[in-house]
């Protein structure tokens, strides 16, 4: 008898039972694949939300910068204005309480002061000049700007024809720009025609003529120029000023000379059309986010090397800065104690300290901030703390494309001019150190009656920051109240220009005075009721 093989479990099941087994396995595979995909998508979504500055607008941090790239913090994967969907960053004044607007954004009162640069009735048009004043400017953009305006006034005093000044090409920035690359030369010449004669170049027959090259005495008044300098016309047709910075006194000059300085600075010395156009573009794109702060963050290599300030820097960074200072021949101070400098308030605030400062003043984390500066020393490594508090850190490189910025990017003074425009037009201007640009912007904003200009009390702030570091104080209401109280009178109010510090003598006395271009009152601001109708005309 033939044995029959016992059927297996699979064989005992019918075809319908086998099919039912196959169907659930397929469904299970599809279910597992869908689940894995959902988890990946959900994880990506939460990471995206975490790095975004606000759930209400597009993300500015899609490209996480690496601190190994010193300029990475300035760049974005896609410039903001190229997104197809418009940004919905809330207007801060509209989205916050009116009391917050009053506290954070409202401009200080002008107390009836307005610009008054028109000459007095006794002012006359220029007579035939006695010779030519040739000028070599020195320093960065704003140092050169104030020097040019002083030279306009000096040309008037000594009755000279001014040759368009030569710009400094050998300073730290090594900018090759000429006067017409940065300023509107035609406008400059025509707008000052009733004050002095200006020419673009010396006449050919005088190019090789004998000239006297002089470094005019710093902070000199009328007597020096009317007697010593004007007396040189008897022997020379050309006087060349080898430096232009701080050659004219801040105070005790005739009203018409002071008014001329302001006409030159705030009316005649206009940036070139292409710089003005790009500056307006940057301002418009900042304005799209609502009220904004322009922060002149003076945390650049040249500033830190010159000042000797090394707080929060590594040993390698400190040594690099010391090497630069020791090998820059025209910097006289070589040995600097960074701890003493900082305790005296002589050091620029670090990006981290600026973040603490703005937070204590009450500015919310969504506040748009324009960084008016060159390359920040250490790049993203030193910017990380400030960015963590204020994700909407904007810069030229973020607001416009590389193609738009390319004509300016290799010229430090032209880039500084763009920062100047955005800073003057800002709702709030804050500086981390009162250098030439900070003073120039502060004075221009005072002249125009523009927004708040916050000048940090660095000496007092350092003491508070040190308490935070040693744990004897924490951030919060107490710190905020102290910082707000310290700065109630440091918001750019209209006030009289400060004179010399008591007890100072000689050049130190003049050096301690508040710079004319940081505060043109008295000189170029008048109360509305005191203006004279006759002062609006040239004779």
């Amino acid at each position: 008898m033939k044995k029959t093989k016992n059927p297996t479990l699979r064989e005992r099941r019918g075809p319908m039972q086998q099919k039912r087994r196959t169907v659930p396995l397929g469904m299970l595979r599809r279910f597992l694949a869908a689940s894995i995909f959902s988890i990946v998508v959900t994880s990506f979504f939460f990471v995206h939300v975490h790095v975004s500055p606000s759930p209400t607008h597009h993300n500015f941090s899609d490209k996480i910068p690496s601190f190994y790239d010193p300029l990475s913090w300035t760049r974005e994967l896609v410039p903001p204005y190229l997104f197809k969907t418009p940004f919905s960053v809330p207007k801060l004044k509209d989205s916050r309480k009116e009391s917050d607007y009053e506290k954070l954004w409202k401009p200080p009162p002008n107390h009836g002061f307005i610009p008054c640069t028109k000459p007095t009735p006794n002012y006359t048009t220029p007579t035939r000049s006695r010779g030519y004043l040739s000028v070599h400017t020195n320093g960065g953009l704003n140092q050169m700007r104030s020097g040019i305006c002083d030279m306009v006034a000096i040309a008037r005093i000594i009755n000279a024809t001014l040759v368009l000044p030569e710009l400094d090409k050998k300073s730290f920035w090594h900018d090759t720009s000429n006067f017409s690359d940065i300023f509107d030369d035609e406008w400059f010449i025509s707008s000052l025609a009733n004050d002095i004669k200006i020419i673009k170049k010396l006449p050919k027959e005088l190019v090789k003529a004998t000239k006297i090259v002089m470094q005019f005495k710093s902070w000199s008044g009328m007597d020096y120029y009317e007697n010593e300098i004007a007396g040189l016309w008897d022997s020379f047709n050309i006087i060349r000023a080898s430096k232009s910075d701080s050659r004219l006194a801040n105070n005790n000059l005739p009203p018409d000379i002071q008014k001329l300085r302001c006409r030159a600075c705030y009316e005649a010395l206009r940036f070139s059309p292409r710089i003005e156009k790009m500056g307006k573009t940057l301002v418009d794109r900042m304005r799209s986010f609502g009220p904004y702060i322009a922060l002149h963050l003076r945390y650049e290599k040249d500033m830190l090397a010159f000042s000797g300030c090394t707080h929060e820097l590594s040993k390698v960074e400190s040594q690099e800065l010391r090497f630069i200072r020791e090998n820059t021949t025209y910097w006289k101070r070589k040995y600097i104690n960074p701890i003493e400098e900082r305790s005296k308030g002589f050091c620029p605030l670090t990006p981290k300290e600026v973040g603490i400062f703005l937070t204590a003043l009450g500015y919310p984390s969504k506040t748009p901030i324009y960084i008016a500066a060159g390359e920040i020393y250490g790049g993203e490594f030193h910017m990380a703390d400030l960015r963590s508090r204020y994700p909407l850190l904007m810069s030229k490189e973020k607001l416009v494309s590389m193609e738009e910025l390319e004509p300016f990017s290799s010229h430090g003074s032209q880039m500084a001019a763009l920062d100047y425009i955005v800073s003057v037009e800002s709702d709030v201007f804050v500086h981390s150190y009162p250098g030439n640009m900070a003073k120039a912007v502060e004075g221009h904003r005072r002249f125009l009656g523009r927004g708040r200009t916050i000048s940090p009390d660095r000496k007092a702030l350092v003491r508070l920051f040190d308490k935070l570091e040693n744990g004897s104080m924490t951030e919060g209401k107490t710190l905020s109240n102290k910082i707000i109280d310290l700065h109630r009178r440091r918001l750019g109010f209209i006030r009289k220009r400060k004179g010399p510090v008591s007890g100072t003598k000689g050049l130190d006395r003049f050096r301690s005075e508040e710079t004319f271009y940081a505060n043109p009152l008295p000189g170029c601001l008048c109360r509305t009721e005191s203006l004279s109708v006759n002062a609006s005309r040239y004779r």
Side-chain angles (χ1 to χ4, degrees):
M1 182 176 175
K2 186 178 179 181
K3 288 186 176 181
T4 59
K5 188 177 179 181
N6 290 331
T8 63
L9 181 62
R10 177 182 294 272
E11 290 171 335
R12 287 200 301 267
R13 288 174 178 166
M16 291 300 294
Q17 288 177 311
Q18 293 182 41
K19 187 175 182 180
R20 281 197 297 269
R21 165 127 182 127
T22 303
V23 171
L25 285 173
M27 291 180 63
L28 181 61
R29 291 191 188 97
R30 288 194 293 272
F31 174 77
L32 289 174
S35 299
I36 293 171
F37 178 77
S38 299
I39 292 170
V40 170
V41 171
T42 304
S43 300
F44 175 79
F45 172 76
F46 280 111
V47 170
H48 175 78
V49 171
H50 175 73
V51 300
S52 295
S54 169
T56 62
H57 57 71
H58 289 272
N59 176 32
F60 284 83
S61 302
D62 290 333
K63 183 181 180 184
I64 305 300
S66 168
F67 66 81
Y68 292 109
D69 181 357
L71 286 178
S72 62
W73 75 272
T74 67
R75 292 192 287 268
E76 290 295 328
L77 187 61
V78 181
Y81 67 93
L82 293 180
F83 280 101
K84 294 180 180 179
T85 306
F87 288 98
S88 58
V89 177
K91 302 292 183 180
L92 297 186
K93 181 177 178 181
D94 298 333
S95 63
R96 296 182 64 79
K97 296 178 182 178
E98 186 64 24
S99 60
D100 288 342
Y101 175 77
E102 296 278 330
K103 181 177 70 173
L104 301 176
W105 301 99
K106 185 178 180 180
N110 65 6
H111 300 297
F113 282 95
I114 62 173
C116 55
T117 63
K118 299 297 183 183
T120 66
N122 296 324
Y123 195 75
T124 59
T125 55
T127 58
R128 183 177 179 181
S129 69
R130 299 185 63 188
Y132 298 90
L133 176 60
S134 171
V135 177
H136 178 269
T137 60
N138 61 294
L141 173 70
N142 293 287
Q143 190 171 333
M144 291 191 291
R145 285 183 80 252
S146 61
I148 290 168
C149 298
D150 279 356
M151 289 299 157
V152 168
I154 290 169
R156 171 78 188 193
I157 295 170
I158 65 176
N159 198 16
T161 293
L162 179 66
V163 184
L164 277 186
E166 300 171 12
L167 303 189
D168 190 345
K169 296 179 174 62
K170 296 182 180 180
S171 63
F172 183 87
W173 300 271
H174 298 287
D175 193 328
T176 59
S177 300
N178 294 315
F179 189 96
S180 59
D181 295 322
I182 299 179
F183 304 109
D184 188 336
D185 54 357
E186 297 291 346
W187 173 259
F188 182 69
I189 293 170
S190 62
S191 62
L192 292 172
N194 288 325
D195 301 294
I196 59 171
K197 183 179 179 181
I198 305 174
I199 60 174
K200 293 185 179 181
K201 294 181 180 179
L202 279 170
K204 291 183 179 180
E205 63 272 17
L206 292 176
V207 171
K208 295 183 179 180
T210 304
K211 64 175 73 70
I212 183 169
V213 180
M214 292 192 63
Q215 183 172 315
F216 298 157
K217 292 181 181 178
S218 300
W219 298 292
S220 296
M222 294 292 290
D223 289 345
Y224 172 75
Y225 287 106
E226 287 180 329
N227 298 324
E228 292 189 42
I229 302 303
L232 297 172
W233 294 133
D234 296 334
S235 305
F236 302 95
N237 290 324
I238 304 169
I239 299 174
R240 180 170 177 80
S242 60
K243 285 192 173 184
S244 63
D245 63 321
S246 304
R247 303 299 124 180
L248 196 59
N250 292 304
N251 304 304
N252 302 316
L253 294 173
D256 275 323
I257 294 300
Q258 298 290 56
K259 289 175 182 293
L260 175 56
R261 296 170 85 178
C262 285
R263 286 200 299 280
C265 189
Y266 306 128
E267 297 170 12
L269 202 58
R270 181 187 293 176
F271 291 119
S272 66
R274 65 190 190 90
I275 290 178
E276 290 280 354
K277 182 180 179 180
M278 179 54 68
K280 184 179 184 303
T281 297
L282 292 169
V283 171
D284 289 344
R285 290 176 184 173
M286 282 304 301
R287 287 248 176 266
S288 68
F289 305 119
Y292 72 90
I293 293 174
L295 170 61
H296 183 44
L297 189 58
R298 200 68 171 95
Y299 205 72
E300 299 141 324
K301 183 181 288 187
D302 67 305
M303 178 64 206
L304 296 175
F306 176 79
S307 65
C309 297
T310 60
H311 185 65
E312 296 181 2
L313 297 181
S314 67
K315 289 185 178 180
V316 173
E317 290 172 325
S318 300
Q319 289 172 356
E320 179 187 21
L321 297 175
R322 179 176 55 80
F323 180 81
I324 293 172
R325 183 171 64 255
E326 290 177 350
N327 288 275
T328 303
T329 56
Y330 52 88
W331 289 352
K332 297 180 180 179
R333 296 181 69 203
K334 300 302 180 182
Y335 173 77
I336 299 175
N337 185 322
I339 297 176
E340 288 184 6
E341 293 294 295
R342 183 170 178 270
S343 66
K344 294 175 182 177
F346 294 160
C347 289
L349 300 181
T350 68
K352 177 181 179 180
E353 291 170 340
V354 170
I356 297 172
F357 175 65
L358 294 176
T359 300
L361 289 178
Y363 288 97
S365 61
K366 64 182 177 181
T367 303
I369 299 178
Y370 179 88
I371 303 297
E375 182 179 337
I376 300 300
Y377 190 57
E380 179 60 22
F381 184 76
H382 290 303
M383 291 294 291
D385 191 88
L386 177 59
R387 181 184 289 281
S388 70
R389 292 172 181 267
Y390 294 97
L392 288 178
L393 290 184
M394 298 289 104
S395 64
K396 298 179 289 293
E397 293 82 358
K398 283 187 176 183
L399 293 169
V400 298
S401 67
M402 292 178 64
E403 291 75 17
E404 288 176 293
L405 198 60
E406 193 275 332
F408 313 95
S409 59
S410 60
H411 301 282
S413 291
Q414 295 183 39
M415 295 284 272
L418 297 175
D419 285 342
Y420 184 90
I421 293 171
V422 182
S423 297
V424 169
E425 294 296 325
S426 64
D427 299 276
V428 172
F429 175 69
V430 182
H431 62 74
S432 64
Y433 185 83
N436 290 314
M437 177 169 171
K439 292 174 182 176
V441 171
E442 182 179 8
H444 204 154
R445 287 167 65 83
R446 273 203 175 99
F447 179 79
L448 296 173
R450 194 66 50 83
R452 292 190 177 192
T453 299
I454 303 177
S455 302
D457 185 341
R458 300 185 313 285
K459 186 175 181 179
L461 286 173
V462 162
R463 298 192 186 100
L464 296 175
F465 294 151
D466 286 346
K467 289 182 178 180
L468 290 178
E469 287 191 11
N470 63 33
S472 61
M473 179 181 284
T474 58
E475 289 192 59
K477 189 173 182 180
T478 299
L479 176 67
S480 180
N481 288 339
K482 285 181 179 294
I483 289 180
I484 290 172
D485 287 340
L486 281 170
H487 295 85
R488 292 190 188 279
R489 306 303 302 173
R490 303 176 71 93
L491 304 178
F493 288 94
I494 295 292
R495 57 169 176 76
K496 186 177 179 180
R497 188 166 56 253
K498 295 177 182 177
V501 173
S502 178
T504 55
K505 297 180 180 179
L507 288 180
D508 288 337
R509 178 176 174 81
F510 294 111
R511 190 176 286 110
S512 69
E513 292 180 331
E514 186 174 18
T515 307
F516 177 82
Y517 296 105
N519 186 3
L521 174 67
C524 305
L525 292 170
C526 309
R527 289 188 183 275
T528 51
E529 64 269 17
S530 65
L531 293 177
S532 171
V533 176
N534 293 330
S536 65
R537 295 183 179 180
Y538 285 83
R539 282 198 167 188

